[in-house]
Amino acid sequence: MIKNIILDWSGTLVDDLALSAVVAFCAFSATSGRRLFVLSTIEEEHFEYQVARHGIRPFFTRAYAGVIDKAHAIHSLLTENDLSPAETLLVGDMVYVMEAARNSGVLAVAMLTGLDPVERLVACEPDLIIRDFGSLQRVLETAGQNYSDEWIEIADLEVKSKIGVSEKERECFQRLLVCLRFQIEARFRDLQDGFEKTVDYASVAAAVEDIAEANKAQLLETLVSNIADSLMERFAIRRLELELKKFILPNARWVSVGEVRSC
């Protein structure tokens, strides 16, 4: 499993058009338990200003700015932070960065945002070529899921909860719908029809109902996160996709928030 991600923080990799995707990717990395590091040739002061302006500095474990020799810096980064190369990938958009990654034993991920054309990037044989941070997030979300064709799904579970920003909205219980889809630790064929080896979906549904009814939070985002936390802690779930629907806007079917967790 990839636990550490090094970003080659070049001007093209994180230009203004890509920043929203960078912010989303940083948040994803944090929620999935991955550590983020930065390698950059830009001055430290400029880097710190940029990440502070977009509110993403807390996502980074450590930043190495003003780096000229990235091949040497990668080795130092791995040693100083006790990182396993096999659990680390480096994202960059230049051939020399990909070569430095390969020479350091980390996975080389080429992003098609830099000056080097795709032909040159392909020629240096990176482990992965992606278009943007959204593509990388999707790859990481599905990596290592050997049982992606096996899942248990509970669709539109109706629960009640007092939730909303205003006190008036929280006076009475509201109807919410919860959709969840999860993968268990064991393969279905290995269960041997043993109930004790699987996850009881009725118990999962009851847990969701209890959390929703006891909710004290104002935001749907908080409630969906609390539900995810509890389910991942209480049940042998290896991956969870969770969506919470609220009926609040008169001209919309629903408003929903979602979260994906994996272990």
Side-chain angles (χ1 to χ4, degrees):
M1 175 181 175
I2 298 300
K3 298 180 180 180
N4 316 295
I5 300 170
I6 306 171
L7 302 184
D8 171 33
W9 196 268
S10 64
T12 51
L13 192 69
V14 289
D15 61 16
D16 288 340
L17 292 177
L19 272 171
S20 60
V22 174
V23 173
F25 181 76
C26 288
F28 157 76
S29 298
T31 58
S32 61
R34 295 178 170 91
R35 292 194 292 173
L36 286 176
F37 298 85
V38 165
L39 278 181
S40 181
T41 55
I42 67 173
E43 303 248 347
E44 182 176 1
E45 183 178 353
H46 178 59
F47 167 76
E48 294 293 345
Y49 168 77
Q50 190 179 48
V51 293
R53 183 163 63 96
H54 294 284
I56 57 177
R57 184 61 180 91
F59 289 119
F60 296 105
T61 299
R62 194 168 180 181
Y64 294 75
V67 173
I68 303 301
D69 185 352
K70 292 187 178 179
H72 176 73
I74 295 174
H75 286 290
S76 298
L77 189 155
L78 294 172
T79 301
E80 293 171 8
N81 298 281
D82 194 25
L83 307 185
S84 167
E87 298 175 340
T88 305
L89 65 79
L90 186 147
V91 185
D93 55 11
M94 301 290 285
V95 167
Y96 83 95
V97 177
M98 296 295 96
E99 292 172 345
R102 296 297 292 270
N103 291 335
S104 302
V106 304
L107 294 173
V109 177
M111 188 174 289
L112 304 179
T113 55
L115 298 177
D116 281 337
V118 62
E119 294 80 10
R120 288 201 64 201
L121 290 170
V122 170
C124 73
E125 298 183 344
D127 295 288
L128 180 66
I129 299 177
I130 55 175
R131 183 169 300 278
D132 52 31
F133 279 98
S135 301
L136 178 57
Q137 179 173 331
R138 288 189 289 273
V139 169
L140 292 175
E141 285 175 339
T142 57
Q145 293 177 28
N146 298 323
Y147 320 143
S148 59
D149 56 338
E150 299 179 349
W151 65 86
I152 297 172
E153 184 170 355
I154 301 176
D156 289 339
L157 174 68
E158 186 167 330
V159 301
K160 59 182 181 179
S161 184
K162 293 183 178 180
I163 189 165
V165 175
S166 68
E167 292 185 9
K168 181 174 178 58
E169 193 178 2
R170 297 195 304 275
E171 285 180 354
C172 302
F173 283 108
Q174 299 180 48
R175 170 177 171 262
L176 304 176
L177 293 182
V178 181
C179 299
L180 56 91
R181 175 182 172 117
F182 59 91
Q183 294 177 313
I184 62 177
E185 298 288 351
R187 297 205 65 170
F188 288 177
R189 69 185 182 191
D190 296 330
L191 297 177
Q192 299 180 328
D193 207 32
F195 176 75
E196 72 283 354
K197 298 179 182 178
T198 189
V199 172
D200 178 12
Y201 49 79
S203 296
V204 172
V208 173
E209 292 173 347
D210 290 343
I211 297 167
E213 188 168 350
N215 173 64
K216 302 297 182 183
Q218 300 181 39
L219 299 179
L220 280 176
E221 292 90 332
T222 305
L223 177 55
V224 77
S225 181
N226 290 343
I227 293 173
D229 286 342
S230 180
L231 295 184
M232 294 297 289
E233 180 180 349
R234 294 171 59 180
F235 300 97
I237 294 174
R238 60 189 302 271
R239 178 179 167 86
L240 171 68
E241 299 175 16
L242 182 65
E243 182 183 19
L244 189 59
K245 301 176 183 178
K246 182 179 180 181
F247 305 88
I248 189 65
L249 297 179
N251 56 342
R253 291 179 64 189
W254 62 67
V255 174
S256 72
V257 298
E259 189 158 338
V260 177
R261 295 286 184 88
S262 59
C263 63

